[in-house]
Amino acid sequence: MAESNRARHTETTKKPKKKKYKIHWLRIILCILLVLTLVGGGVAFGVIKAMLEDIPSLDGASLDDYEVTSYILDKDGNYVDKLHAGEYRVPVDYKDISPNMINALTAIEDQRFWKHKGVDPIRIGGALVANIKAGRTVQGGSTITQQLAGMVLLDRQEKSYTRKLQEAVIAMQLEQRYSKEEIITAYLNRSFFGNNAYGVQAAAETFFNKSAKDLTITESALLAGMIQNPSKWSPINKPENAKSRRNVVLNQMVEIGAISESDCARYKEEPIVLGEFKSSNKTDGNFYANQSFIDHVINEAIDILDIKDNPRLLYTDGYVIYTTLDTRLQSYMESIYNDDSQFPAGDSQSILQSAAVLMESKTGAVRGIMGGRNQTGTRNLNRATQSVRQPGSSIKPIIVYGPAFEMGMSPGTVIDDYPKTYGRHVFKNYDHKYRGLMTIREAIKNSTNTVAVKTMEQVGVENCIKFAQNLGITSLVSEGNPNDLNLSSALGGLTQGVSPLEMAGAYGAFANNGIYNKPYVITKITDKNGRTLYEHQTESQAVMKEETAYMIANAMVSVVSESGGTGTMVALSGRQVAGKTGTTTDNKDYWFVGFTPQYVTTVWMGYDQPREVRSIGSAGRSCGPIFKKIMAYAHEGLPTENFPRPSGIVSQTIDTKSGLLPSEYTPAEYQKSEIFNKEFVPKETSEAWALVEIDPLSGELFTNKCPGAPETKVVLRRAIPWQENIAPGFTPADASLEEPTAECTIHANGIAVGDLFLTGSGKYSGEKLASVELFWQEYTGDGVSYEVHRANHSGFTPDGSTRISNTSGTSFTDRSPLQEDRSIYKVVVLDANGNRMATSNEVAASAKTSVNQPTDNKPDDTKQPSNNDNKPSESEGEKPFSNVTLVASVNSGNIVLSWNAPGNGDYQYYIFRSENSTVAANSLNQIGASSAITTTSYSDTAAESGKTYYYKILVVDRSNNEQIASSNTVQVNN
């Protein structure tokens, strides 16, 4: 019945036609006379006409001239939030309103709606009779069209004859201009239903969590009954009143044939069941779901629509805003940011704040935004999009290494890591460690400041700033004073800072083959009529070569995947993750920015009023865990992707101390495969290493005065040899690999440290060491003297505290040796002016053993006991320190020497020959020096027949180049 009623009076819905029409004054006057009769007054025709002279015109008026709520939708087109000022309204078309609602409304408000021409004399007469019988006003005579006329053009609060007359006239004009469907639709879109719901769609959502087209008969009856007095018949505040009013409407629906009496009786028994529609995005407590994202959407929409001068329009003009929001990811981010246990503790002054952005790498579509922790309202400070903070080292890929790679450098480019002074400023590493010549890959992995500064210096500050600006960093200051055109920018020391959103956009270009897509959150905006006002067009720009982007990404993978990297704690199993930490020098701001081929995430921590954060040890261990949780969740179910390697990238093994091709001398540990843009692959061979002859005792360059054979050693050759005065106190780790800068100094007089060979014997009384006798050969020179030094530990440096005697002889007896510890002895040679010329080896005498020999100069706790150690005898005794026995024989004119090794170590033997019984261990007497002697025999083929020779052996431990023993002297008659 309801459908037939509606079909009988339905016309095709269309836009209002601008048609000319003639006012039928006679009809109007007759109706007005009838109205005046009802209100108890007869008014002259002239007075009526005068009242109509001020009637508002329909020209320029619109049935949909009202505030309309704007909607925000997520990436899938689902409702997220609504924006409205005073009125929550969502207009709908006639076809989107349930027929049940149309029937309920006409039944209670205007049963002859489909028949009259705007004013219903029968309804007016019926109302008049009812009011007279009741003695008061119990019914109104206004039709739906008259009520709409009052809504559109008149003040409905005014109660006067003039307004009633004007309302009737306007109603008849509306009927001539608009269809019945348009009139009843406009009425239902304008009506107030309480609870801030304006219009039938808003009411259906508010009370039943459904669309207007889905309203049932009982729901429609309830809503239709509320229109005249929403507060009195509210199902929320006054459910009994609401039910009673609903049943009245159901009775009226029986009268118009919309429902049967039996159905009506059944409907009256149904309870009122309300929905759970959220009137805002507010959830439990004071937390607002999606609010950080929504706040940024609002700001961006105001810019796109160019309504900065009247932003209220965003809340009243019925826009539908389609966004990039992924509510699943946003909700997860919010669960982290509302959990205080996920964050380091703040101080007593304020909470430690944080912000995060999650963005698609390939598109720039932002999927989640956290503007702060524990957000409790709308339009708060959005730290992810509105705050700019110092980025620390997280800016290095953007402002240093990106432009450097673009100009031909690579992860294999080598820079010397040591502090360099610029004016009055010295840039230092955060860990105060300096590694010397290192590749840029290692510098990125270890977040090495000195390399970043020196790289920017080579590339040029202006080039670096321009590159960063092309990556969407808009806060850089390149003019005025102060500005960012200085080397401090390499370490994130910027005039203003950067926002997490812009950092995400910049890093996205590295993940996207060098294509920068400006981050965005709005995909489309339509007006209340569905007309598209804006549609996102990706702002893509090729800001670097794809080879540059790949090398940066690949180098930042090392930060996460390689031992020693500052971001190893964020690794995702089975996925390539590239990232960079950032910490300001004053520990006020902490960052982790990283990406995969699918997503980019930025995490920042700090106080709103910048000051040192004492509760954070490092960016990796504070921001890193938040980053990892977000990225792990975002990648659930996604296929594994690696960064695509461009065809212009090639691999080449390089010397990591020069960045060039390895030479024959490059040690294996300093050879590594590295990637390059094929246009800049190194072709030159490294000259960073050389093979030189070193004196094994002094470690300096071998000269013709050095005894024995030289040691050939591969050494590092810096372009500028390291000198302590370059950066006092900051010697790089690889300085020890450098080529010696001086010739051997300890053999300048033909004898060296250890060449003054010290021997001796200890005398015991029972277990007590009674005395120690020391012997050494004479050191040639005028005015030579000797200092005897004693200590209780090996490896000591002779000084005033260890000196026990000064003598010009070549022997000394210590009659007061140490009784609780070993007595360790050294002899120092002084020239006539008291300058030291040489130092002997060490010898030791134990307080509780009779076996004593030259020490190997190792610390006591590493020294192995000799197999010859034994308990001292009860009687006095002595034993020489030397335990190498030399024997000789003559074979066909050659003198064959053989001896025993002093132990199980790695030894080199120096052989000395003299025609005097006292064999001086110096370069003039050394034989067999052309090669290192490591066996325990030697044939002297240069000995002349008929001569008498004396031989002696000195033993050197090859592990530390220390002389540890000497042999006896043997006489041979050839």
Side-chain angles (χ1 to χ4, degrees):
M1 183 68 177
E3 288 296 335
S4 63
N5 249 356
R6 180 176 176 183
R8 190 179 307 124
H9 302 287
T10 299
E11 299 176 7
T12 303
T13 303
K14 53 188 176 181
K15 292 289 182 180
K17 293 181 179 179
K18 295 290 185 178
K19 56 184 180 180
K20 295 184 178 180
Y21 56 92
K22 182 177 180 181
I23 299 176
H24 298 280
W25 288 105
L26 181 59
R27 184 185 300 171
I28 292 173
I29 291 172
L30 288 174
C31 291
I32 292 173
L33 288 174
L34 180 59
V35 171
L36 293 177
T37 300
L38 291 174
V39 297
V43 183
F45 181 85
V47 174
I48 296 173
K49 194 170 183 179
M51 294 171 69
L52 295 177
E53 288 180 352
D54 295 329
I55 188 171
S57 173
L58 276 179
D59 293 335
S62 173
L63 296 185
D64 58 359
D65 184 18
Y66 40 63
E67 289 187 2
V68 180
T69 297
S70 295
Y71 266 78
I72 296 177
L73 309 180
D74 68 9
K75 70 179 182 68
D76 299 316
N78 298 317
Y79 166 84
V80 173
D81 197 18
K82 58 182 179 293
L83 307 176
H84 59 84
E87 300 178 1
Y88 167 38
R89 177 185 285 108
V90 184
V92 289
D93 294 332
Y94 181 79
K95 63 182 176 58
D96 293 321
I97 302 173
S98 169
N100 298 318
M101 188 67 205
I102 301 296
N103 289 330
L105 177 65
T106 55
I108 193 65
E109 292 293 335
D110 190 356
Q111 293 185 1
R112 289 171 46 80
F113 171 75
W114 298 104
K115 297 178 180 179
H116 63 66
K117 299 299 183 180
V119 177
D120 186 0
I122 296 176
R123 178 177 173 79
I124 293 173
L128 178 62
V129 172
N131 292 340
I132 291 173
K133 287 182 178 181
R136 58 188 176 88
T137 301
V138 293
Q139 288 186 18
S142 296
T143 64
I144 288 175
T145 311
Q146 286 177 273
Q147 293 180 51
L148 179 62
M151 292 178 183
V152 174
L153 293 174
L154 301 174
D155 180 4
R156 300 198 72 196
Q157 301 301 316
E158 180 186 347
K159 305 295 182 183
S160 67
Y161 297 140
T162 298
R163 189 192 71 79
K164 294 295 290 183
L165 286 171
Q166 291 178 343
E167 182 182 272
V169 172
I170 294 171
M172 288 186 285
Q173 292 177 356
L174 288 172
E175 291 278 349
Q176 293 184 48
R177 181 172 293 191
Y178 298 102
S179 69
K180 288 288 188 180
E181 288 80 2
E182 289 172 324
I183 290 171
I184 201 167
T185 300
Y187 180 88
L188 283 172
N189 279 332
R190 282 182 173 272
S191 296
F192 178 55
F193 292 84
N195 286 82
N196 203 39
Y198 288 79
V200 65
Q201 176 67 21
E205 291 178 353
T206 299
F207 296 108
F208 302 113
N209 193 20
K210 61 171 56 176
S211 297
K213 65 181 179 181
D214 298 323
L215 289 169
T216 65
I217 289 175
T218 55
E219 291 168 347
S220 298
L222 186 143
L223 293 181
M226 292 173 62
I227 291 176
Q228 296 304 326
N229 196 334
S231 61
K232 179 178 180 181
W233 293 312
S234 169
I236 295 176
N237 300 322
K238 297 180 179 179
E240 292 302 321
N241 287 1
K243 186 175 182 180
S244 175
R245 176 66 173 171
R246 180 199 68 178
N247 292 345
V248 169
V249 177
L250 290 171
N251 289 334
Q252 296 297 99
M253 292 179 74
V254 173
E255 285 191 15
I256 67 171
I259 59 175
S260 65
E261 290 187 2
S262 59
D263 287 340
C264 178
R266 178 165 52 84
Y267 292 142
K268 287 180 179 180
E269 297 302 318
E270 288 187 9
I272 296 175
V273 180
L274 300 179
E276 296 182 356
F277 179 75
K278 298 176 182 177
S279 60
S280 74
N281 64 322
K282 185 177 180 182
T283 59
D284 296 338
N286 292 320
F287 172 66
Y288 284 71
N290 309 312
Q291 195 60 53
S292 291
F293 199 99
I294 291 170
D295 286 348
H296 185 59
V297 167
I298 291 171
N299 293 333
E300 190 167 301
I302 290 172
D303 287 340
I304 290 172
L305 296 170
D306 195 20
I307 53 175
K308 297 184 185 70
D309 294 336
N310 189 13
R312 190 175 185 274
L313 293 177
L314 190 65
Y315 298 81
T316 62
D317 275 19
Y319 299 106
V320 179
I321 305 170
Y322 298 81
T323 74
T324 62
L325 174 64
D326 187 321
T327 52
R328 182 183 72 91
L329 299 180
Q330 178 73 24
S331 177
Y332 182 75
M333 293 171 68
E334 288 168 354
S335 70
I336 294 174
Y337 271 70
N338 290 325
D339 183 356
D340 291 342
S341 68
Q342 302 287 341
F343 295 86
D347 57 28
S348 58
Q349 301 178 51
S350 60
I351 185 175
L352 178 64
Q353 269 298 348
S354 180
V357 174
L358 175 64
M359 185 191 84
E360 279 189 355
S361 303
K362 296 181 177 68
T363 65
V366 179
R367 298 305 187 194
I369 296 175
M370 287 308 305
R373 295 173 57 191
N374 298 307
Q375 290 200 311
T376 57
T378 63
R379 307 302 297 275
N380 290 330
L381 171 65
N382 196 326
R383 298 164 186 84
T385 63
Q386 296 175 319
S387 294
V388 290
R389 300 296 291 254
Q390 298 301 314
S393 293
S394 64
I395 198 72
K396 291 175 182 176
I398 298 170
I399 207 168
V400 177
Y401 298 120
F405 290 3
E406 192 74 353
M407 296 178 67
M409 293 187 184
S410 76
T413 299
V414 172
I415 306 291
D416 208 346
D417 171 28
Y418 68 84
K420 181 178 178 181
T421 301
Y422 297 88
R424 296 182 179 180
H425 193 85
V426 180
F427 295 100
K428 302 175 183 178
N429 292 336
Y430 75 98
D431 58 1
H432 302 289
K433 296 178 181 178
Y434 302 90
R435 299 164 181 82
L437 294 166
M438 67 188 306
T439 63
I440 285 180
R441 179 182 295 275
E442 287 295 310
I444 293 175
K445 185 179 80 171
N446 294 291
S447 198
T448 305
N449 291 338
T450 61
V451 173
V453 172
K454 292 174 183 178
T455 302
M456 176 179 273
E457 182 183 23
Q458 292 184 34
V459 174
V461 178
E462 291 186 359
N463 294 327
C464 292
I465 295 295
K466 183 177 180 180
F467 187 89
Q469 289 173 330
N470 287 338
L471 283 176
I473 306 300
T474 62
S475 54
L476 296 175
V477 180
S478 55
E479 296 181 0
N481 186 22
N483 60 49
D484 294 321
L485 293 173
N486 58 75
L487 293 176
S488 295
S489 297
L491 309 182
L494 305 178
T495 304
Q496 296 180 6
V498 294
S499 73
L501 181 64
E502 288 193 348
M503 288 291 282
Y507 271 64
F510 297 132
N512 193 35
N513 304 316
I515 305 299
Y516 170 75
N517 291 322
K518 184 178 180 181
Y520 71 100
V521 296
I522 296 177
T523 58
K524 186 171 72 171
I525 301 177
T526 61
D527 64 14
K528 61 187 176 184
N529 298 315
R531 183 170 57 95
T532 298
L533 303 178
Y534 165 82
E535 194 155 10
H536 174 73
Q537 299 296 323
T538 301
E539 298 181 35
S540 296
Q541 180 183 1
V543 293
M544 69 188 89
K545 303 181 185 76
E546 60 178 344
E547 291 82 4
T548 296
Y550 179 80
M551 288 190 292
I552 288 289
N554 187 269
M556 283 198 282
V557 167
S558 296
V559 174
V560 176
S561 64
E562 294 184 10
S563 176
T566 58
T568 54
M569 66 292 299
V570 309
L572 299 178
S573 177
R575 293 188 184 273
Q576 277 193 340
V577 180
K580 186 71 190 72
T581 53
T583 306
T584 56
T585 304
D586 49 16
N587 298 322
K588 293 178 181 178
D589 295 282
Y590 293 82
W591 297 74
F592 195 95
V593 189
F595 54 93
T596 66
Q598 290 105 325
Y599 285 108
V600 181
T601 293
T602 301
V603 178
W604 164 86
M605 285 187 190
Y607 291 113
D608 283 338
Q609 296 299 320
R611 62 181 183 277
E612 182 181 5
V613 183
R614 299 182 182 274
S615 58
I616 293 181
S618 70
R621 301 200 175 279
S622 53
C623 299
I626 304 298
F627 171 93
K628 183 173 182 177
K629 287 183 174 67
I630 293 173
M631 289 290 266
Y633 190 79
H635 285 82
E636 286 183 0
L638 295 182
T640 300
E641 292 185 29
N642 291 333
F643 297 108
R645 178 167 174 157
S647 59
I649 291 291
V650 296
S651 297
Q652 175 64 58
T653 299
I654 62 167
D655 180 332
T656 59
K657 287 297 180 182
S658 67
L660 303 177
L661 302 179
S663 70
E664 59 180 320
Y665 300 127
T666 303
E669 62 186 296
Y670 297 105
Q671 296 185 37
K672 183 179 180 181
S673 179
E674 192 51 271
I675 59 173
F676 296 87
N677 183 327
K678 66 181 181 181
E679 297 179 6
F680 302 104
V681 180
K683 296 180 174 58
E684 299 178 0
T685 300
S686 173
E687 296 182 354
W689 303 92
L691 191 65
V692 298
E693 292 185 340
I694 303 294
D695 182 86
L697 298 179
S698 68
E700 298 172 314
L701 294 174
F702 191 85
T703 70
N704 58 7
K705 294 182 179 180
C706 295
E711 176 186 350
T712 56
K713 184 178 181 181
V714 174
V715 295
L716 179 65
R717 279 184 173 170
R718 270 189 171 84
I720 301 176
W722 175 258
Q723 300 173 30
E724 182 64 24
N725 59 3
I726 293 178
F730 299 107
T731 302
D734 65 359
S736 61
L737 302 175
E738 278 199 89
E739 178 181 12
T741 58
E743 293 183 345
C744 179
T745 56
I746 65 173
H747 289 118
N749 295 309
I751 193 164
V753 175
D755 281 350
L756 182 68
F757 197 79
L758 179 63
T759 61
S761 62
K763 292 186 177 181
Y764 292 82
S765 176
E767 290 191 0
K768 180 179 180 182
L769 180 63
S771 63
V772 177
E773 293 185 349
L774 303 171
F775 307 93
W776 59 91
Q777 80 271 24
E778 184 178 2
Y779 196 92
T780 58
D782 297 333
V784 171
S785 63
Y786 309 93
E787 287 183 345
V788 180
H789 293 261
R790 181 186 67 200
N792 64 354
H793 62 278
S794 178
F796 72 94
T797 300
D799 57 24
S801 65
T802 61
R803 187 175 60 239
I804 60 174
S805 179
N806 191 306
T807 178
S808 58
T810 58
S811 65
F812 174 76
T813 299
D814 181 9
R815 302 188 184 282
S816 302
L818 302 177
Q819 297 301 317
E820 298 300 324
D821 300 293
R822 289 194 304 164
S823 293
I824 311 294
Y825 297 92
K826 285 185 180 179
V827 173
V828 175
V829 184
L830 306 177
D831 65 13
N833 297 318
N835 298 316
R836 292 190 177 187
M837 300 172 64
T839 302
S840 76
N841 57 291
E842 291 181 355
V843 295
S846 173
K848 294 185 178 182
T849 180
S850 59
V851 178
N852 306 276
Q853 58 187 19
T855 72
D856 58 4
N857 287 338
K858 291 184 179 179
D860 293 345
D861 58 356
T862 64
K863 190 169 179 63
Q864 299 296 318
S866 168
N867 293 332
N868 295 324
D869 285 357
N870 54 64
K871 193 80 171 177
S873 64
E874 294 298 323
S875 60
E876 288 190 359
E878 63 179 78
K879 192 162 186 173
F881 290 120
S882 175
N883 63 341
V884 176
T885 302
L886 174 64
V887 296
S889 62
V890 178
N891 183 7
S892 301
N894 297 327
I895 300 176
V896 180
L897 305 174
S898 60
W899 58 92
N900 65 290
N904 296 323
D906 181 15
Y907 306 113
Q908 181 173 339
Y909 303 98
Y910 295 81
I911 305 174
F912 299 91
R913 181 186 68 193
S914 175
E915 296 180 18
N916 299 315
S917 59
T918 300
V919 183
N922 57 46
S923 59
L924 297 177
N925 292 333
Q926 185 178 2
I927 61 174
S930 59
S931 61
I933 301 173
T934 57
T935 61
T936 55
S937 64
Y938 179 82
S939 181
D940 183 5
T941 59
E944 298 181 18
S945 299
K947 286 191 175 182
T948 298
Y949 293 102
Y950 298 88
Y951 294 91
K952 186 175 184 177
I953 305 292
L954 298 185
V955 186
V956 173
D957 187 334
R958 287 164 64 89
S959 66
N960 55 20
N961 287 325
E962 294 290 343
Q963 293 181 7
I964 64 168
S966 66
S967 73
N968 54 300
T969 300
V970 296
Q971 176 182 335
V972 181
N973 298 317
N974 192 14

